[in-house]
Amino acid sequence: PPRHLAITWEYGGDTTWVDVRLSERDGATHLELEHVAHVPDGFWDKYGPGAVGVGWELGLRGRAEHLATGAAYDPVEGA
């Protein structure tokens, strides 16, 4: 525990909803992330999935890399 996080994300006058759940699957932890945003059709047509939030994949990939290697993030190297 905790196994569930639900938040609102407010940006630029809009609100979106983020729901994160952890569960066990085959002896491992399964992470499910849902980010819901209501955007105008034209915005979706122009940007596709980027219309509702870009960046989750980078954060999750960084987390996976850390878990796989145990390497710490060096902010000086990152800059």
Side-chain angles (χ1 to χ4, degrees), residues 35-78:
H35 187 177
V36 176
H38 301 287
V39 298
D41 290 340
F43 201 67
W44 180 264
D45 293 341
K46 183 174 183 179
Y47 298 106
V52 295
V54 175
W56 289 113
E57 67 280 5
L58 295 176
L60 293 172
R61 174 155 180 158
R63 180 72 176 147
E65 190 76 21
H66 171 71
L67 291 172
T69 66
Y73 171 73
D74 180 354
V76 174
E77 182 181 333

Side-chain angles (χ1 to χ4, degrees), residues 1-30:
R3 298 181 188 276
H4 180 233
L5 172 68
I7 60 172
T8 56
W9 186 322
E10 298 179 25
Y11 179 79
D14 293 322
T15 301
T16 64
W17 298 266
V18 179
D19 197 61
V20 180
R21 293 182 184 276
L22 299 174
S23 60
E24 182 190 346
R25 286 199 185 167
D26 300 321
T29 301
H30 175 79

